[in-house]
Amino acid sequence: MTNSLDERYRVRSVSRAAEILEHLASAGDALTVTEVTRAAGGSKSSVFSTLQTLEAHGLVSSEGEGPQRRYSLGLALARYGEIAVGRASIRDIALPELRHLTEETGLSSRVAKPEQGRAVIVGRVDAPGSVRFDLHMGQRELPHSSGLGKAVTAERDDDAIRELLEAAGMPARTRRTLTDPDALLAELAEVRRRGYAIDDEEDADGVYCVGAAVRDHRGACAGAISVTGLKLDVSPERLHELGERVRESADRVSTRLGWG
């Protein structure tokens, strides 16, 4: 999805400051003005002025004197980050991406949060047309049979998954539902490798769902997004194409939540 910000309204000096902060964040250690300039480009005097301004606002800190003075991120960023995280809602952040996903694929899309081993639906965008799936808000998806459930479950380690399955059970929703823990663990290993989960008529006959996990600023699973449609003549290749598309959307939601 293209960036919605209009280039005409971007302030170059602010963009440069943001780029410098990004370089300081990705560096393994504090950097000198020369090192920041080498990474960010531009003139040393311009970079120095930007660093001084950022430091005045607590966004950058420094140690040392003269050419050996080294700069790193300031603690004010931690305070801003905690405020932003506290206000972030995966539903609000994911909905614009879900609308784009539904528009592009023609499929209904959803976002869910993990809760007590289940994926709980907190947002949805219905596909145009007459078909409406039973995708209620607050619905709790099973960890072993649904695309959302498997995407969230795959973020756990195998021991934790076995404990979850022992507590929740593995009821057969359809004839295609995996009811053997070892078979599910093998599939979830594949989910981790490719970055998306597929429910191929495993939760409801005639319906498929493709889901991918979303991560927060710490890299922990914040939930998952998915698309859902009627199976009809949808090929395995098409399911994997959708998986790649959903994974890309999930990555963008993760980025907006502060991951990576």
Side-chain angles (χ1 to χ4, degrees):
M1 183 169 58
T2 58
N3 195 322
S4 61
L5 294 177
D6 194 321
E7 294 285 347
R8 295 175 298 172
Y9 302 112
R10 292 191 183 186
V11 179
R12 184 175 300 178
S13 60
V14 177
S15 292
R16 170 49 60 90
E19 291 169 2
I20 288 175
L21 290 173
E22 184 63 36
H23 288 301
L24 291 176
S26 60
D29 201 355
L31 302 177
T32 64
V33 173
T34 300
E35 290 169 333
V36 175
T37 303
R38 187 181 302 125
S43 69
K44 186 180 294 186
S45 62
S46 174
V47 169
F48 178 73
S49 296
T50 301
L51 286 168
Q52 291 296 101
T53 303
L54 291 171
E55 186 168 13
H57 291 277
L59 303 176
V60 163
S61 64
S62 67
E63 292 183 355
E65 298 294 337
Q68 299 308 311
R69 189 175 183 180
R70 307 186 76 84
Y71 296 86
S72 57
L73 295 179
L75 291 179
L77 289 168
R79 180 169 63 87
Y80 295 153
E82 287 301 319
I83 292 171
V85 169
R87 294 176 179 174
S89 160
I90 187 174
R91 176 186 179 276
D92 293 341
I93 291 174
L95 277 177
E97 189 65 41
L98 293 187
R99 294 187 189 101
H100 183 76
L101 191 58
T102 291
E103 180 180 353
E104 186 177 80
T105 64
L107 301 171
S108 296
S109 57
R110 296 180 294 168
V111 56
K113 291 177 62 175
E115 184 178 291
Q116 298 179 341
R118 304 288 183 93
V120 181
I121 310 303
V122 295
R124 57 183 279 183
V125 175
D126 290 325
S130 59
V131 177
R132 288 291 183 271
F133 296 99
D134 185 21
L135 309 175
H136 299 300
M137 301 293 289
Q139 181 173 313
R140 299 165 64 85
E141 300 284 280
L142 292 173
H144 70 293
S145 60
S146 70
L148 283 170
K150 287 194 282 188
V152 169
T153 303
E155 295 298 301
R156 296 170 173 244
D157 62 42
D158 285 0
D159 288 340
I161 292 172
R162 287 187 182 277
E163 291 181 8
L164 172 64
L165 296 176
E166 287 178 5
M170 298 181 68
R173 299 275 291 173
T174 73
R175 60 183 177 81
R176 299 176 64 91
T177 306
L178 291 177
T179 57
D180 177 69
D182 291 331
L184 180 65
L185 288 173
E187 179 172 340
L188 295 181
E190 182 67 10
V191 170
R192 297 185 195 104
R193 184 192 67 79
R194 68 194 179 201
Y196 58 87
I198 294 175
D199 152 22
D200 188 2
E201 296 187 89
E202 297 163 57
D203 200 56
D205 288 319
V207 177
Y208 70 87
C209 176
V210 182
V214 170
R215 292 174 177 80
D216 64 17
H217 66 295
R218 294 187 177 90
C221 180
I225 65 172
S226 71
V227 293
T228 301
L230 295 176
K231 183 63 186 293
L232 299 177
D233 296 323
V234 176
S235 67
E237 292 76 17
R238 175 58 176 162
L239 291 179
H240 288 292
E241 288 175 5
L242 289 170
E244 297 287 346
R245 180 65 188 83
V246 173
R247 184 187 65 188
E248 292 169 0
S249 293
D251 287 345
R252 283 193 285 272
V253 176
S254 296
T255 297
R256 294 189 181 99
L257 286 170
W259 172 238

